[in-house]
Amino acid sequence: MEILSGGTVVDGTGAARFRADVGIEGDSIVAIGDLSALPGRRSDATGLFVTPGFIDLHTHSDTTILRVPQMSSTVRQGVTTEVCGNCGLQLGLAVNTPEFEMERRLSHWSGRFSWRSLGEFMARVEEMGTAANLAFLAGHGTLRKRVMGWERGAPDAAALRQMRDLLREALEEGAVGLSTGLEYPPGRYATVEEIAVLAEEVAAVDGLYATHLRDEADGLIEAVEEALEVARRSGVRLQLAHHKAENRPNWGKVQHTLARVDAARAAGIDVACDVYPYTAFMTGLGVRTLPAWMQEGSVEQVAERLRDSATRARVLAEMSRMAVDWEHLQIGVSPHDRSLQGRRVVEIARERGISPAEAVIDILAQATGVVAVITFAIAEEDLRTVLRHPLTSVGSDSGTRHADGPLAEDRIHPRGFGTFPRVLGRYVRETPVLTWEEAIHKMTGLPASRLSLARRGVLQVGAYADLVAFDPATVIDHATYEEPHRYPEGIRHVFVNGVAVVRDGKQTGALPGRVLRRGSR
Ligand code: ZN
Ligand code: CU
């Protein structure tokens, strides 16, 4: 037996913490209590909180997992299970046609995709081995592109049937649900009708429908209504992703949307949300600034169109009507010109003696990879309001990474390395927005229940030994917008399926993670 001894257990249910040793045998928790008389290998947890491994409901690790199986940014935060395939995008459903060039770029994938279905992708991940467990969502944008390419209209009956069949296949192969990215093409071309039909398939297997709303700024409230309507029509369980209100005029709207969530719950809709603990969001520079029609196609196709002077003029004219808040945009990832990373768009424009819109067009016209932008436009008070809500889980909205290696050149959002320790250090210890028990529940028992995950997310005898032991006095994030690849502090031991992936703060290199297929026990 392996024993985590002398710690304080926070069991993930929200119940009050208590002193206990935790005994692990094989992949499971076999004993909780005073185990001082038992023989076994001991990991000292004196002064530490021992909790279920954290579950990150919202990630994009399908895009990085084949490059980073050791999942360093994940396990060093104490995360032992991730749900990938969010925001409508699932690399495991991409195929080798030109429409999927963007997925190839996003995933830093140069070769052909060697998988033909999500099931094959899962098998490949499984064969390779991963440090943490992974569950997969089917991405609606990816599915739609498979069937309709970049077509803007509604699907005809045949196309809808095809999408439905692809989704059903993914669910049968073990996907835990469906995600949409209704702000991005081609997801944005979908109507409530289309999504509700697909969501019925998800509801039929009691899966989860996770949506990146159509609008998180001026149209936030209407976008939440739309998501609730999908749930009402299909009976699907609904997850509102990375909930927030973007841009100052919309601050405070989360009070209203959360009240709608409560009312919908009372009316029988199974809805909840998740959040990351930052006041900036990150997305594609094009998504943030270009008219929708200009965002279609691969990075190269967009760049080529932007180099055409007539198109450029038309785009500029449309951009001038879009009221982009240029002041708060900072270039994050810029593969073709790393010197832009960390610089504000207005600064670049001033230096070049052109307008911010022109600067953006120039940057995107040269791009060879996805350029990402960080926008400082979320209210701290809203973040706290969302975090405090009893139905809110914690989700990082990141793909797993390692602090060095080729991917580390990307100036990513710090949430990728800091989300979970940041909630604990800043929103429990430093400012009492949540209690320890509440915060841990939002990272464990609550997200496990959203996924109907058996034997995970709670620390009890018979559960899988996905465990974290962290120091409540020191746990904190260190990743910043300037240096996003810094590991957090205070996460001492992490176990996945009974195997230590972090011991005494050091990653062991073990790959005990499993693919968590829907319904697997
Ligand atoms: Zn999203
Ligand atoms: Cu996302």
Side-chain angles (χ1 to χ4, degrees):
M1 195 188 297
E2 164 115 29
I3 298 168
L4 275 167
S5 61
T8 295
V9 169
V10 184
D11 72 4
T13 64
R17 55 189 185 262
F18 55 95
R19 289 290 300 273
D21 305 327
V22 177
I24 304 168
E25 217 160 59
D27 62 6
S28 301
I29 297 168
V30 293
I32 300 169
D34 181 357
L35 309 180
S36 53
L38 293 179
R41 173 172 188 180
R42 285 185 151 66
S43 296
D44 185 20
T46 307
L48 307 183
F49 282 179
V50 180
T51 78
F54 305 149
I55 297 173
D56 190 340
L57 269 185
H58 189 106
T59 86
H60 294 281
S61 289
D62 46 307
T63 61
T64 55
I65 191 65
L66 296 178
R67 304 289 297 275
V68 196
Q70 70 271 41
M71 300 181 78
S72 310
S73 60
T74 302
V75 295
R76 294 198 47 179
Q77 290 186 64
V79 173
T80 58
T81 295
E82 278 196 8
V83 181
C84 67
N86 274 283
C87 300
L89 182 85
Q90 170 55 263
L91 186 66
L93 284 166
V95 292
N96 290 293
T97 57
E99 287 84 16
F100 293 92
E101 194 49 40
M102 216 255 298
E103 281 76 357
R104 198 187 305 281
R105 295 288 166 176
L106 267 179
S107 56
H108 309 262
W109 195 253
S110 45
R112 285 175 63 79
F113 302 135
S114 62
W115 50 90
R116 287 159 303 177
S117 68
L118 187 57
E120 286 190 9
F121 186 71
M122 289 173 175
R124 171 152 182 180
V125 168
E126 210 159 40
E127 205 176 295
M128 174 185 69
T130 55
N133 304 311
L134 269 183
F136 295 73
L137 291 166
H140 162 262
T142 316
L143 283 177
R144 197 181 209 270
K145 261 200 289 183
R146 283 271 293 265
V147 175
M148 302 174 66
W150 293 104
E151 240 178 87
R152 291 177 206 171
D156 59 22
L160 193 56
R161 192 175 330 110
Q162 239 180 305
M163 272 194 268
R164 219 178 155 141
D165 288 347
L166 275 171
L167 173 59
R168 192 181 306 128
E169 180 185 273
L171 292 167
E172 279 165 6
E173 288 170 331
V176 295
L178 174 72
S179 75
T180 54
L182 301 181
E183 192 178 4
Y184 310 116
R188 63 184 299 137
Y189 306 133
T191 58
V192 173
E193 285 69 34
E194 174 180 334
I195 303 162
V197 165
L198 297 174
E200 278 172 20
E201 289 294 330
V202 181
V205 297
D206 194 31
L208 188 64
Y209 168 52
T211 180
H212 174 134
L213 297 170
R214 196 174 290 278
D215 191 336
E216 295 180 313
D218 300 353
L220 174 67
I221 290 169
E222 295 78 0
V224 168
E225 292 303 335
E226 178 185 21
L228 291 172
E229 179 60 21
V230 167
R232 200 173 294 121
R233 290 193 196 182
S234 63
V236 80
R237 297 192 298 111
L238 172 65
Q239 185 74 16
L240 305 176
H242 41 62
H243 201 54
K244 56 180 167 309
E246 296 172 355
N247 304 343
R248 187 176 286 271
N250 302 306
W251 289 357
K253 281 186 181 173
V254 294
Q255 311 257 10
H256 182 96
T257 56
L258 291 172
R260 288 295 297 127
V261 164
D262 289 333
R265 270 253 156 183
I269 294 176
D270 188 352
V271 51
C273 58
D274 49 77
V275 73
Y276 50 75
Y278 294 87
T279 54
F281 57 94
M282 184 171 78
T283 189
L285 177 60
V287 172
R288 197 68 189 107
T289 59
L290 294 179
W293 60 271
M294 194 62 226
Q295 297 169 31
E296 292 173 8
S298 69
V299 171
E300 280 79 5
Q301 286 167 333
V302 172
E304 201 182 306
R305 273 183 269 145
L306 287 174
R307 290 197 294 268
D308 173 76
S309 58
T311 311
R312 184 189 163 101
R314 186 177 155 205
V315 169
L316 258 180
E318 283 193 40
M319 283 169 88
S320 68
R321 290 194 294 272
M322 283 171 58
V324 179
D325 187 5
W326 300 106
E327 277 301 318
H328 300 109
L329 299 189
Q330 179 184 308
I331 304 291
V333 183
S334 172
H336 74 287
D337 183 355
R338 298 289 185 188
S339 73
L340 298 175
Q341 295 189 159
R343 305 206 51 207
R344 292 199 310 162
V345 170
V346 283
E347 230 174 74
I348 298 167
R350 206 174 302 131
E351 194 179 278
R352 298 181 179 179
I354 51 180
S355 72
E358 288 173 299
V360 164
I361 290 179
D362 286 348
I363 292 168
L364 292 174
Q366 301 306 320
T368 55
V370 178
V371 179
V373 69
I374 292 173
T375 309
F376 295 85
I378 304 167
E380 175 69 29
E381 198 43 50
D382 279 1
L383 159 55
R384 293 179 184 202
T385 301
V386 177
L387 190 57
R388 231 181 254 125
H389 193 278
L391 294 171
T392 303
S393 299
V394 176
S396 72
D397 200 6
S398 297
T400 192
R401 299 253 175 170
H402 189 72
D404 30 62
L407 303 195
E409 282 180 59
D410 291 346
R411 176 90 71 116
I412 54 169
H413 191 296
R415 64 196 179 198
F417 281 69
T419 290
F420 288 78
R422 184 177 177 86
V423 168
L424 296 171
R426 297 187 198 269
Y427 295 100
V428 182
R429 188 183 58 241
E430 290 175 7
T431 355
V433 173
L434 303 170
T435 66
W436 290 106
E437 286 83 355
E438 286 167 345
I440 297 301
H441 178 61
K442 287 171 179 295
M443 299 175 175
T444 59
L446 179 60
S449 75
R450 300 306 293 152
L451 295 168
S452 311
L453 271 188
R455 300 171 58 197
R456 298 192 197 270
V458 283
L459 203 163
Q460 62 189 27
V461 170
Y464 286 108
D466 290 349
L467 293 167
V468 187
F470 70 87
D471 185 345
T474 62
V475 66
I476 200 77
D477 60 308
H478 286 309
T480 63
Y481 294 97
E482 291 70 37
E483 290 181 78
H485 294 94
R486 293 170 64 185
Y487 293 112
E489 181 179 338
I491 306 288
R492 195 79 57 82
H493 311 299
V494 183
F495 290 81
V496 173
N497 297 310
V499 177
V501 291
V502 173
R503 199 187 276 282
D504 294 318
K506 290 189 187 61
Q507 207 171 337
T508 64
L511 302 177
R514 295 177 187 166
V515 169
L516 303 184
R517 293 181 177 79
R518 186 180 53 76
S520 64
R521 294 286 166 223

